[in-house]
Amino acid sequence: MAKKKTIQNDALATNRKARFNYSIEETVEAGIVLTGTEIKSVRAGQITIGDGFVTIHDGQAYLTNVHIANYEQGNQFNVEPTRSRILLLHKRQIQHLAVLAKESGVTIVPLKVYLKKGFAKVLIGVGRGKKQYDKRQSIKKRDVERDLKRQFKN
């Protein structure tokens, strides 16, 4: 009997600062339109999404300010590393995200990039910016949880 292929769901890149700077209200999985050399760089893990965000215009969602390094063997087929890339979403999903993004203080940020059945996917989140005191509370909560774990471990 043939073995089933396992879905590779390991994150190639994560945006750890996103959950610290924003309170994520909703997440959506989207595909990314990439060229041949870009997908090879993504599979090699040469992608940075820390400064990225999603913009919506003309009925399309674009992943902006995400750096995908040039593929070393790509030569003339390499493209600009920080170009805007189209996200593959349903029309209703794009409309819903556009309505949410028009609210003040709301940003759509990429949370992680991973491979699913050989295709590059990005998990985007609708985030509302945290205030400074919210960030302090997050740090305090994390420290308390860490101390509790240490106490239970011993």
Side-chain angles (χ1 to χ4, degrees), residues 16-23 128-131 135:
R16 297 185 308 195
K17 282 288 192 179
R19 293 198 188 271
F20 182 72
N21 291 330
Y22 303 99
S23 59
R128 190 171 302 275
K130 285 186 181 179
K131 303 287 185 206
K135 293 180 185 178

Coordinates of all heavy atoms in Angstrom, one line a residue, residues 16-23 128-131 135:
R16 N 7.3 37.4 14.4 CA 7.1 37.3 15.8 C 6.6 38.6 16.4 O 5.9 38.7 17.4 CB 8.4 36.8 16.5 CG 8.7 35.4 16.1 CD 9.9 34.9 16.8 NE 11.0 35.9 16.7 CZ 12.3 35.6 17.0 NH1 12.6 34.4 17.4 NH2 13.2 36.5 17.0
K17 N 7.0 39.7 15.8 CA 6.7 41.0 16.3 C 5.2 41.4 16.1 O 4.6 42.2 16.7 CB 7.5 42.1 15.7 CG 8.9 42.2 16.3 CD 8.8 42.8 17.6 CE 10.2 43.2 18.1 NZ 10.1 43.8 19.5
A18 N 4.6 40.7 15.1 CA 3.2 41.0 14.8 C 2.2 40.8 16.0 O 1.4 41.7 16.3 CB 2.7 40.2 13.6
R19 N 2.4 39.7 16.7 CA 1.5 39.4 17.8 C 1.8 40.3 19.0 O 1.0 40.4 19.9 CB 1.5 38.0 18.2 CG 0.9 37.1 17.1 CD 0.5 35.7 17.6 NE 0.2 34.9 16.4 CZ -1.1 34.7 16.0 NH1 -2.0 35.5 16.5 NH2 -1.3 33.9 15.0
F20 N 3.0 40.9 19.0 CA 3.4 41.8 20.1 C 2.9 43.2 19.8 O 2.4 43.9 20.7 CB 4.9 41.8 20.3 CG 5.4 42.7 21.4 CD1 5.2 42.3 22.7 CD2 6.0 43.9 21.1 CE1 5.6 43.1 23.7 CE2 6.4 44.7 22.1 CZ 6.2 44.3 23.5
N21 N 3.0 43.7 18.6 CA 2.6 45.0 18.2 C 1.1 45.1 17.9 O 0.5 46.2 18.0 CB 3.3 45.5 17.0 CG 4.8 45.7 17.4 OD1 5.1 46.1 18.5 ND2 5.7 45.6 16.4
Y22 N 0.4 44.0 17.6 CA -1.0 44.1 17.2 C -1.8 43.0 18.0 O -1.2 41.9 18.2 CB -1.2 43.8 15.7 CG -0.4 44.7 14.8 CD1 0.8 44.4 14.2 CD2 -0.9 46.0 14.5 CE1 1.5 45.2 13.4 CE2 -0.2 46.9 13.7 CZ 1.0 46.5 13.1 OH 1.7 47.4 12.3
S23 N -3.0 43.3 18.2 CA -3.9 42.2 18.7 C -4.6 41.7 17.5 O -5.4 42.3 16.9 CB -4.9 42.8 19.8 OG -5.7 43.8 19.2
R128 N -5.2 45.0 15.2 CA -5.5 46.3 15.7 C -4.3 46.7 16.6 O -3.8 45.9 17.4 CB -6.7 46.3 16.5 CG -7.2 47.7 16.9 CD -8.6 47.7 17.5 NE -9.6 47.1 16.7 CZ -10.3 47.7 15.7 NH1 -10.0 49.0 15.5 NH2 -11.2 47.1 15.0
G129 N -3.7 47.9 16.3 CA -2.5 48.3 17.0 C -2.6 48.3 18.5 O -3.6 48.8 19.0
K130 N -1.7 47.8 19.3 CA -1.7 47.9 20.7 C -1.1 49.2 21.2 O -0.2 49.7 20.6 CB -0.9 46.7 21.3 CG -1.5 45.4 21.2 CD -0.6 44.4 22.0 CE -1.2 43.0 21.9 NZ -0.3 42.0 22.6
K131 N -1.6 49.6 22.3 CA -1.0 50.8 23.0 C 0.2 50.3 23.8 O 0.4 49.1 24.0 CB -2.0 51.5 23.9 CG -3.3 51.9 23.2 CD -3.1 53.1 22.4 CE -4.4 53.5 21.8 NZ -4.2 54.2 20.5
K135 N 1.2 46.5 25.6 CA 2.5 45.8 25.4 C 3.1 45.4 26.7 O 3.7 44.3 26.9 CB 3.4 46.6 24.5 CG 3.0 46.8 23.1 CD 3.9 47.6 22.3 CE 3.4 48.0 20.9 NZ 4.3 48.8 20.2

